[in-house]
């Protein structure tokens, strides 16, 4: 198993170090992998002038999966095509990673860490399948022009049938391994691109008669995620709506620092990263929560490396560390055993 490790910026190196520690703790259990490190984001820009230098592209081509931290820093935002985030976008594009899978569930030990009441999130277990390479983020034309003596900014929401079909298949296949329910999120009452989305999802659904398909407008979905999140199994979303809804879903679990994600395409190769960013406000202080990254490593074992037993070991170890009372600051309540990033990693590795 060949893994490219790209820690990136901000808290990236701290949290990825914990995931690597946990992966190494699997070795005595017969699960080992070759890990090679690569630069990405601002770290790569500072070293080479490019947020995704050729060596990192070669590493991405070499590996079976990428374990990714986070990229970005507000002082780099003016760099245009050299912005740290471009390194990640280029990686996703090079590897044609069009589907982002973000589970949201709640460890029973953390049901009081959510801002929602425990009875609302009890039993929460949903997956957001978000389209990742289309929509307003990539649609043409885009830009800022001058019209009638004022500046006008514009972007284009565009989806081709084939793009909707392939992400819908990912959602239906995911549902087949779960409770067999897909809720497709759109805004078909207002947007033509979303009407096409809905019609195409309905067409794909005919190939999965065992799966129940429902549709929800994004505004209603946002409300329902907070009012009754346990009603969802798989939520299928376009890029923009999924970006927003998945951050809402993350808070149901207690903290953005708890949610892993997988970006996959047509092959087994995938990119695994926490859903949060580089959190410059807490970088270098050993207080970031490494669990999202550690759970991303578990998803990597399951989805790219054909090692579900390794994934299960990691997930159980996270549960065990939480049951022993270990909490990073973002999920701690008064009286909890508050630990730093590396101590949390140690506790999970020890539980393995
Ligand atoms: P962020 O996700 O980095 O942080 C949002 C808030 O959550 C901050 O208060 C942060 O301290 C907290 N937080 C995030 N991760 C945490 C963790 N593991 N443990 C505890 N607290 C955590 O979002 P932001 O502040 O809007 O963005 C910071 C930078 O990250 C920007 O440059 C942005 O472009 C970049 N970004 C990168 C990615 C990515 O690499 N995929 C995703 C989102 C944002």
């Amino acid at each position: 198993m060949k893994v490219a490790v790209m820690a990136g910026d901000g808290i990236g190196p701290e949290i990825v170090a914990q995931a690597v520690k946990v992966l190494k703790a699997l070795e005595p259990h017969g699960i080992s992998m070759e890990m090679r490190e690569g630069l990405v984001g601002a770290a790569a820009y500072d070293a080479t002038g490019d947020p995704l230098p050729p060596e990192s592209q070669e590493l991405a081509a070499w590996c079976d999966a990428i374990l990714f931290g986070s990229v970005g820093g507000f002082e780099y935002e003016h760099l245009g095509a050299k912005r740290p985030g471009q390194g990640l976008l280029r990686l996703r594009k090079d590897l044609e990673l069009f589907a982002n899978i973000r589970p949201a569930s709640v460890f029973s030990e953390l049901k009081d860490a959510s801002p929602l009441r425990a009875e609302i999130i009890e039993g929460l277990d949903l997956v957001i399948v978000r389209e990742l390479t289309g929509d307003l983020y990539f649609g043409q034309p885009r830009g800022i022009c001058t019209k009638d003596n004022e500046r006008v900014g514009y972007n284009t929401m565009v989806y081709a049938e084939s793009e909707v079909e392939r992400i819908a298949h990912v959602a239906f296949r995911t549902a087949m391994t779960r409770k067999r329910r897909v809720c497709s999120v759109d805004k078909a009452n207002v947007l033509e691109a979303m009407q096409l989305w809905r019609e195409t999802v309905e067409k794909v659904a005919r190939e999965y008669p065992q799966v129940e398909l429902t549709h929800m407008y994004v505004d209603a979905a946002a409300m329902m995620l907070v009012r009754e999140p346990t009603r969802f199994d798989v939520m299928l979303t376009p890029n923009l709506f999924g970006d927003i809804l998945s951050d809402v879903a993350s808070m149901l679990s207690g903290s953005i620092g708890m949610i892993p994600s997988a970006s996959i395409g047509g092959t087994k190769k995938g990119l695994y990263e926490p859903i949060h960013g580089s959190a410059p406000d807490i970088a270098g202080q050993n207080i970031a929560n490494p669990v999202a990254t550690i759970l991303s490593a578990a998803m990597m074992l399951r989805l790219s490396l054909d090692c579900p037993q390794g994934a299960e070991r990691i997930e159980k170890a996270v549960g065990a560390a939480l049951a022993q009372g270990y909490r990073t600051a973002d999920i701690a309540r008064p009286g909890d055993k508050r630990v730093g990033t590396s101590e949390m990693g140690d506790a999970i590795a020890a539980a393995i």
Side-chain angles (χ1 to χ4, degrees):
M1 300 192 285
K2 295 180 286 188
V3 175
V5 178
M6 300 194 188
D9 313 318
I11 59 172
E14 300 166 57
I15 53 180
V16 166
Q18 307 317 310
V20 168
K21 188 189 286 176
V22 168
L23 285 171
K24 288 198 171 143
L26 291 171
E27 280 173 10
H29 302 282
I31 300 169
S32 60
M33 58 207 75
E34 184 182 348
M35 293 190 252
R36 290 190 193 169
E37 289 181 15
L39 288 173
V40 70
Y45 176 81
D46 286 342
T48 69
D50 184 348
L52 187 67
E55 307 81 64
S56 299
Q57 283 175 301
E58 280 160 29
L59 198 61
W62 161 82
C63 69
D64 299 314
I66 301 172
L67 180 64
F68 196 92
S70 53
V71 287
F74 295 114
E75 65 277 30
Y76 293 86
E77 293 304 320
H78 66 282
L79 288 172
K82 301 271 185 196
R83 280 200 313 271
Q86 289 298 317
L88 177 59
L89 293 183
R90 274 166 53 198
L91 261 180
R92 287 177 179 160
K93 192 158 177 276
D94 288 354
L95 303 176
E96 291 187 54
L97 305 175
F98 62 82
N100 189 244
I101 300 178
R102 297 183 172 194
S105 58
V106 64
F107 284 92
S108 55
E109 294 80 10
L110 288 188
K111 60 182 192 300
D112 294 321
S114 169
L116 294 189
R117 291 197 307 277
E119 70 261 28
I120 294 179
I121 51 152
E122 188 105 56
L124 174 78
D125 180 18
L126 65 86
V127 174
I128 296 183
V129 175
R130 167 188 166 196
E131 201 286 328
L132 206 55
T133 52
D135 206 341
L136 281 161
Y137 295 7
F138 296 92
Q140 295 288 346
R142 62 189 296 162
I144 298 175
C145 66
T146 303
K147 204 175 167 189
D148 298 333
N149 291 326
E150 65 172 338
R151 281 170 15 106
V152 176
Y154 56 98
N155 293 84
T156 307
M157 177 180 272
V158 53
Y159 267 118
E161 269 179 316
S162 56
E163 288 176 295
V164 183
E165 276 168 17
R166 63 184 187 177
I167 190 71
H169 279 293
V170 173
F172 284 105
R173 283 201 299 268
T174 305
M176 289 292 286
T177 66
R178 300 171 45 89
K179 289 178 241 153
R180 301 191 172 187
R181 295 203 311 269
V182 169
C183 176
S184 173
V185 176
D186 62 40
K187 191 73 184 167
N189 50 339
V190 183
L191 303 167
E192 283 79 1
M194 293 290 93
Q195 284 165 15
L196 180 103
W197 173 279
R198 187 176 283 217
E199 287 164 22
T200 310
V201 171
E202 277 173 357
K203 192 174 77 185
V204 173
R206 286 184 216 122
E207 295 177 43
Y208 301 87
Q210 311 90 327
V211 179
E212 178 197 87
L213 170 67
T214 53
H215 303 277
M216 208 177 273
Y217 297 135
V218 61
D219 39 349
M223 182 267 289
M224 202 55 82
L225 251 188
V226 177
R227 196 174 85 180
E228 198 190 336
T230 49
R231 71 184 279 151
F232 294 110
D233 178 24
V234 175
M235 294 180 89
L236 165 62
T237 78
N239 202 347
L240 173 70
F241 300 158
D243 193 357
I244 299 164
L245 292 179
S246 54
D247 269 28
V248 176
S250 75
M251 280 316 292
L252 306 176
S253 305
S255 165
I256 200 168
M258 292 295 297
I259 311 273
S261 82
S263 299
I264 57 168
T267 68
K268 280 240 154 204
K269 189 182 290 200
L271 184 150
Y272 298 85
E273 58 173 330
I275 71 159
H276 56 73
S278 57
D281 52 334
I282 57 168
Q285 299 172 40
N286 193 40
I287 55 173
N289 186 346
V291 169
T293 317
I294 291 169
L295 291 175
S296 301
M299 286 186 90
M300 173 178 84
L301 285 165
R302 184 174 283 117
L303 298 178
S304 279
L305 303 180
D306 287 324
C307 185
Q309 69 278 22
E312 239 163 74
R313 266 188 194 276
I314 292 180
E315 286 156 358
K316 280 198 183 138
V318 170
L322 292 172
Q324 287 160 28
Y326 290 97
R327 301 280 187 279
T328 43
D330 56 316
I331 50 173
R333 290 279 170 275
D336 282 339
K337 209 183 294 176
R338 212 176 256 244
V339 294
T341 310
S342 56
E343 292 76 20
M344 194 69 174
D346 289 343
I348 296 167
I352 288 205

